[in-house]
């Protein structure tokens, strides 16, 4: 078996995982749209006379039916976000492995960062985007990074830094209180998450298409991907 054939066997199918990642991102975005609708419903209903769900000092009042339904919406959204994360990471690992096989170079970021780069403070501000960008440049050398990658990452950071993005710090009861008292900032953060999900879907499609084109062409130059 010659070296070219050996390298071809090293490539991992990335189209299906790319499509699944796109679907997962769109489902996560839809979950956040539904969540935003429920937050609007909470804001319109107004805070009950009993005050916020979290009364302080570890005391929590009984939730209203609307607040209970919001809890269910956020729980369902959490399941979809977890599924999205698994699909996205599966795609990213394959993308990175193929990029390494195509270029013959060691990736800029060690494999462990594909998983933990999202959760370590400060590092999570640029490592995940860097991993995607590094894989793209190794797959399509000399080509411009799709704009959708930067749009996706910028919106993701807005949602994350606001504290109520996909990785949020507040408890559900605290978010309910925010819906009553500061609805617009909450909805703007939700919009950033939805935008990040949609832009992420375009980014995954564009980066995957560039790598598949290179793989099919046996390492030939590929055109700039749309996105």
């Amino acid at each position: 078996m010659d070296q070219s054939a050996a390298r071809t066997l090293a490539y991992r199918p990335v189209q299906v995982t790319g499509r699944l990642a796109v679907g997962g991102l769109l489902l996560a975005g839809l979950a956040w749209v539904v969540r935003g609708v429920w937050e609007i419903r909470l804001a319109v209903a107004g805070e009950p006379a009993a005050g916020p769900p979290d009364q302080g000092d570890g005391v929590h009042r009984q939730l209203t039916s609307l607040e209970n339904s919001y809890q269910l919406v956020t729980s369902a959204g959490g399941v979809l976000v977890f599924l999205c994360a698994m699909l996205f990471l599966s795609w990213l690992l394959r993308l990175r492995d193929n990029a390494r096989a195509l270029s013959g170079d060691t990736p800029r970021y060690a494999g462990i960062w594909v998983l933990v780069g999202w959760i370590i403070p400060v590092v999570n501000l640029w490592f995940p985007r860097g991993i995607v960008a590094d894989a793209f440049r190794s797959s399509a050398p000399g080509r411009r990074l799709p704009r959708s990658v930067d749009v996706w990452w910028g919106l993701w950071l807005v949602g994350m830094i606001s504290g109520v993005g996909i990785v949020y710090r507040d408890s559900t009861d605290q978010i309910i209180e925010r819906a009553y008292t500061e609805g617009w900032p909450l909805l703007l953060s939700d919009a950033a998450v939805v935008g990040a999900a949609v832009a992420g879907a375009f980014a995954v499609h564009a980066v995957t298409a560039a790598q598949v084109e290179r793989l099919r062409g046996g390492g030939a130059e590929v055109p700039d991907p749309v996105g």
Side-chain angles (χ1 to χ4, degrees), residues 203-218:
V204 169
H205 174 75
V207 173
T208 301
Q211 186 173 93
V212 169
E213 187 84 17
R214 177 87 183 280
L215 290 169
R216 287 176 174 171

Side-chain angles (χ1 to χ4, degrees), residues 83-209:
L83 175 62
C84 172
M86 295 301 101
L87 294 173
F88 186 90
L89 289 176
S90 176
W91 167 78
L92 187 54
L93 287 167
R94 285 174 179 255
L95 183 84
R96 181 178 177 275
D97 288 347
N98 286 348
R100 178 173 53 190
L102 281 167
S103 67
D105 297 329
T106 301
R108 182 178 178 183
Y109 299 89
I112 188 65
W113 292 116
V114 176
L115 302 176
V116 303
W118 300 85
I119 58 177
I120 296 181
V122 181
V123 165
N124 62 0
L125 296 178
W126 77 88
F127 269 37
R129 177 202 173 276
I131 293 168
V132 174
D134 183 55
F136 173 82
R137 291 174 181 132
S138 295
S139 301
R143 302 301 181 182
R144 178 174 52 83
L145 184 70
R147 288 185 296 273
S148 53
V149 173
D150 288 327
V151 174
W152 156 66
W153 191 245
L155 291 172
W156 168 270
L157 289 179
V158 171
M160 181 178 67
I161 292 172
S162 70
V164 289
I166 287 179
V167 182
Y168 54 89
R169 296 184 296 271
D170 293 345
S171 69
T172 306
D173 282 354
Q174 289 172 323
I175 294 175
I176 289 173
E177 182 178 357
R178 290 183 66 175
Y180 288 137
T181 59
E182 47 181 278
W184 280 112
L186 190 61
L187 291 174
L188 288 174
S189 177
D190 291 341
V193 172
V194 174
V198 174
F202 278 102
V204 169
H205 174 75
V207 173
T208 301

Side-chain angles (χ1 to χ4, degrees), residues 47-48 50-56 59-61 67 173 176-177 180:
E47 187 173 78
D54 186 349
Q55 304 274 293
V59 178
H60 294 259
R61 65 164 171 78
E67 291 167 348
D173 282 354
I176 289 173
E177 182 178 357
Y180 288 137

